[in-house]
Amino acid sequence: MTVIAGCASEKTAPQAPAASAQPPQPAPAEAAKLRSALLQVPKGMEVAYGPEIGTYGTLRFTKQSLDAIRESKLEHPECAGATQLDAARPEIAKAPAAVVKFTSARGVITQSVMALPPEAFPGPLPDQCDAYSAQVRGMEVVYRTRDLALPRQGDESRAYLTTASGGERQAQIGTVTIRRGGFVMSLMVVGQEVKRAGLLELSRLADQNLSKAAV
């Protein structure tokens, strides 16, 4: 997770030229379900990216995130995707997915929804990922993560709050991952302060959409 106040994985890169061969796409019915599980634009925010639908590893958002991780030097590389849907895992990279990103002056919200078997749901946070450091664009950033006590949602859910500190800058990253049946939703909220109540409300709305899509 290479994020601090708009650095690395939250940057917006220019649109790459269209490839000659189209990447694999979900079947129309599955694509419609994935799209229906995405949040509407939250009040006071605007769409910064998407919705984009396709195989998760081929999406522009995913490629930018992986590029940001490759450009950084992490003390524990396995922690980069530990609180989210880790695109470095083949079963996740190949999964049909939909992604949308919202932005405002206060922060960024990114939501991913994908079709995944239950066994692909992320496990608990490894002990070494509670606190670790990384070099991000020449700056040393320290990440401290703790479990966030949110009510269980769906069939399984996990929630974390990470504080990223580097130089005089600090950001918080709230992440919630929920599984219902064969669908998994990941929500990432980045800002100077991520409040538990706000993250809970967003995840509640996201889970409502997910419950309808998973029927």
Side-chain angles (χ1 to χ4, degrees), residues 18 64 75 79 89 99 104 108 139 141 151 177 185-186 203:
Q64 289 177 8
E75 179 185 5
C79 297
R89 293 173 55 184
V99 176
S104 74
V108 175
M139 176 192 298
V141 180
T177 308
M185 188 285 304
S186 177
S203 64

Side-chain angles (χ1 to χ4, degrees), residues 79-99:
C79 297
T83 64
Q84 307 166 54
L85 295 170
D86 186 0
R89 293 173 55 184
E91 67 272 33
I92 292 178
K94 295 176 182 178
V99 176

Side-chain angles (χ1 to χ4, degrees), residues 2-85:
T2 46
V3 177
I4 180 165
C7 283
S9 63
E10 289 304 316
K11 64 184 178 182
T12 301
Q15 176 70 53
S20 55
Q22 290 293 322
Q25 296 292 315
E30 187 171 48
K33 282 194 170 188
L34 292 168
R35 181 185 289 272
S36 72
L38 295 176
L39 290 166
Q40 297 298 311
V41 183
K43 185 178 179 180
M45 305 193 79
E46 60 184 27
V47 176
Y49 166 83
E52 185 179 16
I53 298 176
T55 302
Y56 191 64
T58 68
L59 300 183
R60 181 164 60 97
F61 162 79
T62 310
K63 291 177 180 178
Q64 289 177 8
S65 298
L66 290 173
D67 286 346
I69 291 171
R70 282 191 286 266
E71 290 169 6
S72 305
K73 296 180 180 179
L74 279 69
E75 179 185 5
H76 296 294
E78 68 275 17
C79 297
T83 64
Q84 307 166 54
L85 295 170

Side-chain angles (χ1 to χ4, degrees), residues 94-153:
K94 295 176 182 178
V99 176
V100 68
K101 179 176 175 180
F102 309 107
T103 187
S104 74
R106 293 181 300 171
V108 175
I109 297 172
T110 307
Q111 184 191 22
S112 305
V113 181
M114 61 182 63
L116 278 176
E119 59 269 22
F121 190 75
L125 188 74
D127 290 342
Q128 68 269 26
C129 299
D130 289 346
Y132 67 97
S133 62
Q135 291 290 325
V136 182
R137 293 184 180 179
M139 176 192 298
E140 183 174 4
V141 180
V142 176
Y143 297 93
R144 292 182 174 84
T145 300
R146 61 180 176 87
D147 286 327
L148 201 55
L150 297 184
R152 193 183 106 169
Q153 296 168 293

